[in-house]
């Protein structure tokens, strides 16, 4: 359940929020003034506050200042009408999480709220790293008793006691983000914000402005000033995920923050001083990127003050039974039912597998097996083909398909499941465009370049086919007929 507190004196706005967030997962409380909002906060303990800047009674700015005194981590999103963005910027400097322009765009509002709720969860859920399987109490935690994980826990403890920059390395799905949050939760900055930026998920032109903010008019589309994550996160901890994907220009700016604690907003010339602890992560070998001159060597050394390498799951197989047990308990708790058991043959298969997607893949396999399992126990048949040795070892999509003539609908379901497995391993994969493009290419090949036939095979019109061909730039597959 996510608790939202709306502070706005306009009943229209309260009404539309009630409609927009009418969902069983959201509990919305509305307050009509800053004073009322401040009274409600200790009572309802909201996960997120959304507040108008201009209200009767005390202003939004003053309310924010007082919220900060009550709870320095409570996330606040401000709403402001066009023309008053300067106030919003002032408020961002006071530590607001983000701001929205009125009249607001509903999808944008929902997106900002979803992001903020995720950030709030990350700040709140304490990640423990003590051995926790002995206890009944399955706190969110980092599970592992293997020697390499013991080393990781030691480093987390050391890092928590200092302000040193840390570089977390390890393959995708090994638990880098979890480790970052554990460091934060045990550090003396745990009372301040923790924000995460995935450098690979944000287009390069936007990353710099996401991190450092920008001045109005600094580039096309920069219609107003924006405060970046470094400013928002002042005194807190910033998790820079997939740091290997930063452009050289951004690398230079990050280096400067690490060296002097200062930066300028994009298009600005006033140095801004911040105190931010950085935890960076990468699943690419940064040393190689340095050797290839794609990553600044000086930045690498600055980040690599303390290195925490999280080994792939296949190198610490003794953790697999513990992890399986942990996930079974965790999912049972989410479902509010008793945990299912696991047939011993299944555990053997899980221990033998090479886990290219590491702990994330194991977690997903267990989640899926729980859905597939018909009785109280997970059986080998509930595991995906890659694990049972049926189907191609590569996990190729075709392995999910039966012989031609088998039930086409369940084949498609199986195929879709496989695609999701890929997507989990490769977060950059955009399923629909990737599949669509491939289908169009294959159909054109099958139809020998004949567009009418290809469209028919795909079950779309020729006009739609043409649009796809253009969109994906696959003209050369066409035979002009
Ligand atoms: N040791 C562990 N104990 C319990 N859960 C774990 C452990 N390691 C990873 N997980 C879980 O596996 C999933 C992936 O972990 P996380 O997101 O931290 O990986 P990552 O290394 O950041 O991956 P990527 O490089 O793909 O971003 C998460 O759901 C996390 O909770
Ligand atoms: Mg990650």
């Amino acid at each position: 359940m996510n608790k939202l507190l709306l502070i706005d004196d306009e009943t229209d706005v309260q009404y539309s929020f009630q409609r927009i967030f009418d969902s069983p997962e959201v509990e919305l409380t509305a307050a009509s003034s800053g004073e009322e909002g401040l009274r409600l906060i200790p009572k309802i303990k909201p996960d997120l506050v959304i507040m108008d800047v201009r209200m009767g009674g005390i202003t939004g700015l003053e309310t924010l200042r007082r919220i900060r005194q009550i709870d320095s981590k409570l996330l606040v999103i401000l709403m402001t009408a066009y023309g008053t963005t300067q106030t919003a910027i002032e408020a961002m400097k006071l530590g607001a999480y983000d701001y929205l322009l009125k009249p607001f765009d509903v999808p944008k509002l929902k997106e900002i709220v979803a992001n903020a709720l995720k950030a709030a969860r990350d700040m709140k859920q304490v990640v423990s790293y003590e051995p926790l399987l002995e206890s009944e109490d399955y706190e969110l935690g980092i599970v592992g008793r293997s020697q390499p994980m013991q080393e990781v826990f030691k480093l987390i403890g050391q890092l928590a006691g200092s302000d040193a920059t840390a570089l977390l390395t390890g393959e995708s799905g090994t638990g880098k983000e979890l480790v970052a949050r554990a460091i934060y939760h045990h550090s003396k900055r745990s009372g301040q914000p923790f924000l995460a930026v995935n450098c690979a998920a944000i287009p390069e032109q936007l990353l710099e402005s996401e991190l450092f903010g920008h001045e109005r008019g600094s580039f096309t589309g920069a219609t107003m000033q924006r405060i970046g994550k470094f400013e928002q996160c002042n005194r807190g901890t910033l998790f820079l995920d997939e740091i290997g994907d930063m452009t050289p220009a951004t690398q230079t700016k990050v280096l400067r923050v690490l060296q002097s604690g200062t930066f300028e907003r994009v298009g600005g010339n006033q140095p801004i001083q911040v105190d931010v602890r950085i935890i960076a992560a990468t699943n690419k070998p940064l040393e190689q990127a340095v050797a290839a001159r794609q990553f600044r060597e000086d930045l690498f050394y600055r980040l690599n003050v303390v290195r925490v390498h999280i080994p792939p799951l296949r190198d610490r197989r003794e953790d697999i039974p513990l992890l399986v047990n942990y996930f079974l308990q965790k999912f049972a708790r989410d479902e509010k039912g008793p945990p299912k058991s696991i047939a011993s043959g299944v555990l053997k298969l899980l221990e033998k597998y090479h886990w290219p997607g590491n702990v994330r893949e194991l977690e997903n396999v267990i989640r899926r097996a729980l859905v597939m399992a018909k009785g109280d126990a997970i059986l080998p048949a509930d595991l995906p083909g890659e694990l049972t040795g049926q189907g191609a070892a590569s996990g190729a999509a075709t392995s999910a398909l039966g012989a031609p003539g088998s039930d086409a609908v369940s084949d498609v379901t199986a195929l879709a499941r496989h695609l999701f497995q890929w997507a989990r391993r490769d977060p950059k994969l955009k399923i629909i465009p990737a599949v669509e493009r491939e289908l169009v290419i294959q159909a054109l090949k099958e139809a020998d370049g004949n567009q009418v036939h290809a469209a028919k095979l795909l079950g779309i019109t020729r006009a739609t086919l043409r649009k796809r061909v253009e969109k994906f730039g696959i003209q050369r597959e066409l035979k002009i007929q």
Side-chain angles (χ1 to χ4, degrees):
M1 176 65 82
N2 296 305
K3 287 190 262 182
L4 301 188
L5 173 63
L6 169 70
I7 310 181
D8 196 316
D9 53 357
E10 282 173 64
T11 42
D12 280 1
V13 174
Q14 295 187 3
Y15 178 70
S16 42
F17 264 72
Q18 241 119 31
R19 257 189 348 205
I20 296 166
F21 294 104
D22 180 21
S23 131
E25 282 115 61
V26 177
E27 191 183 296
L28 179 76
T29 311
S32 307
S33 67
E35 289 88 339
E36 191 188 352
L38 286 165
R39 264 198 311 278
L40 285 172
I41 287 170
K43 257 189 241 153
I44 58 172
K45 298 198 169 46
D47 300 299
L48 175 66
V49 174
I50 308 173
M51 175 167 68
D52 194 16
V53 173
R54 232 188 251 173
M55 294 181 289
I58 58 169
T59 62
L61 234 62
E62 181 53 30
T63 312
L64 178 62
R65 215 181 315 257
R66 294 193 202 169
I67 290 178
R68 282 282 155 273
Q69 285 160 6
I70 306 175
D71 182 350
S72 56
K73 284 204 293 187
L74 178 53
L75 294 183
V76 179
I77 295 175
L78 290 150
M79 294 183 293
T80 173
Y82 274 104
T84 57
T85 43
Q86 205 44 49
T87 331
I89 297 295
E90 285 307 309
M92 295 284 292
K93 287 186 198 155
L94 282 174
Y97 175 74
D98 213 333
Y99 65 87
L100 268 166
L101 287 181
K102 275 180 172 182
F104 43 73
D105 174 47
V106 175
K108 178 88 190 153
L109 167 68
K110 284 187 166 167
E111 187 195 318
I112 290 183
V113 167
N115 282 340
L117 286 171
K118 168 154 194 323
R121 262 196 308 276
D122 286 351
M123 280 186 222
K124 234 177 269 162
Q125 276 182 345
V126 177
V127 178
S128 64
Y129 60 97
E130 271 95 63
L132 37 73
L133 284 157
E134 315 296 341
S135 72
E136 288 286 280
D137 183 20
Y138 278 78
E139 282 302 313
L140 190 78
I142 309 178
V143 176
R145 235 182 257 158
S146 58
Q147 194 50 44
M149 285 310 284
Q150 294 304 321
E151 297 300 322
V152 169
F153 296 153
K154 257 189 242 160
L155 283 170
I156 295 175
Q158 283 162 5
L159 277 164
S162 90
D163 242 352
T165 304
L167 179 63
L168 316 180
T169 56
E171 289 177 14
S172 181
T174 45
K176 296 184 292 296
E177 184 170 344
L178 212 54
V179 168
R181 284 164 45 194
I183 295 170
Y184 158 70
H185 279 301
H186 294 86
S187 75
K188 54 182 186 299
R189 289 178 183 245
S190 64
Q192 299 294 333
F194 171 87
L195 295 178
V197 178
N198 186 334
C199 303
I202 299 169
E204 16 176 289
Q205 323 84 278
L206 294 183
L207 181 61
E208 213 175 310
S209 115
E210 175 80 14
L211 291 174
F212 304 105
H214 61 242
E215 297 296 345
R216 181 178 171 163
S218 55
F219 54 87
T220 340
T223 48
M224 54 198 174
Q225 197 186 37
R226 172 136 202 125
I227 299 292
K229 286 280 187 294
F230 271 101
E231 255 175 288
Q232 267 171 280
C233 211
N234 197 11
R235 289 191 297 276
T237 307
L238 186 60
F239 177 46
L240 297 177
D241 205 357
E242 312 290 3
I243 191 130
D245 287 44
M246 275 187 329
T247 58
T250 314
Q251 290 174 27
T252 307
K253 275 195 141 176
V254 171
L255 176 66
R256 186 166 151 225
V257 182
L258 282 170
Q259 283 170 336
S260 64
T262 57
F263 63 92
E264 277 122 34
R265 297 192 195 116
V266 176
N269 47 23
Q270 197 192 343
I272 293 162
Q273 183 83 33
V274 286
D275 164 23
V276 174
R277 197 243 179 113
I278 292 181
I279 303 177
T282 177
N283 55 26
K284 291 192 190 140
L286 272 191
E287 281 89 348
Q288 276 175 29
V290 169
R293 301 191 173 277
Q294 286 152 358
F295 200 84
R296 288 185 67 126
E297 192 174 11
D298 41 9
L299 176 58
F300 172 72
Y301 287 118
R302 275 280 172 175
L303 293 170
N304 199 28
V305 177
V306 181
R307 162 87 71 116
V308 183
H309 181 70
I310 306 155
L313 187 55
R314 63 184 165 280
D315 291 348
R316 46 180 165 112
R317 290 180 198 267
E318 61 266 49
D319 287 339
I320 292 175
L322 296 175
L323 283 162
V324 169
N325 193 7
Y326 171 72
F327 290 131
L328 287 173
Q329 304 266 354
K330 186 174 115 177
F331 294 139
R333 199 172 58 176
D334 294 348
E335 300 289 316
K336 300 190 178 53
K340 288 201 179 187
S341 62
I342 189 156
S344 67
V346 170
L347 197 57
K348 287 215 178 71
L349 288 169
L350 297 174
E351 284 175 307
K352 235 174 51 198
Y353 185 59
H354 60 291
W355 299 110
N358 293 294
V359 184
R360 178 181 295 114
E361 187 182 9
L362 175 62
E363 183 174 5
N364 288 327
V365 163
I366 302 292
R367 188 184 286 123
R368 173 186 184 273
L370 286 171
V371 175
M372 305 297 279
K374 294 190 183 68
D376 291 338
I378 293 176
L379 303 175
D382 303 323
L383 299 178
E386 306 90 280
L387 273 101
T388 51
Q390 279 151 14
S394 65
T398 44
S399 69
L401 296 176
S406 70
D407 184 350
V409 174
S410 68
D411 280 356
V412 172
T413 312
L415 182 55
R417 284 208 191 104
H418 263 260
L419 289 169
F420 279 109
Q421 272 182 17
W422 288 350
R424 276 183 217 120
R425 279 179 218 152
D426 177 3
K428 278 179 218 129
L429 181 73
K430 301 266 177 300
I431 296 183
I432 291 183
V435 170
E436 220 178 23
R437 182 171 191 278
E438 208 44 48
L439 284 174
V440 172
I441 293 174
Q442 289 309 324
L444 284 164
K445 280 195 181 145
E446 196 90 355
D448 220 5
N450 181 320
Q451 293 182 48
V452 179
H453 288 175
K456 206 165 176 188
L457 278 173
L458 290 166
I460 57 178
T461 64
R462 189 173 168 183
T464 308
L465 178 71
R466 270 185 176 285
K467 275 186 217 142
R468 295 293 177 278
V469 165
E470 266 168 43
K471 176 171 159 196
F472 299 126
I474 44 181
Q475 278 84 350
R476 79 191 150 75
E477 316 285 334
L478 288 180
K479 251 196 201 148
I480 308 303
Q481 312 247 341

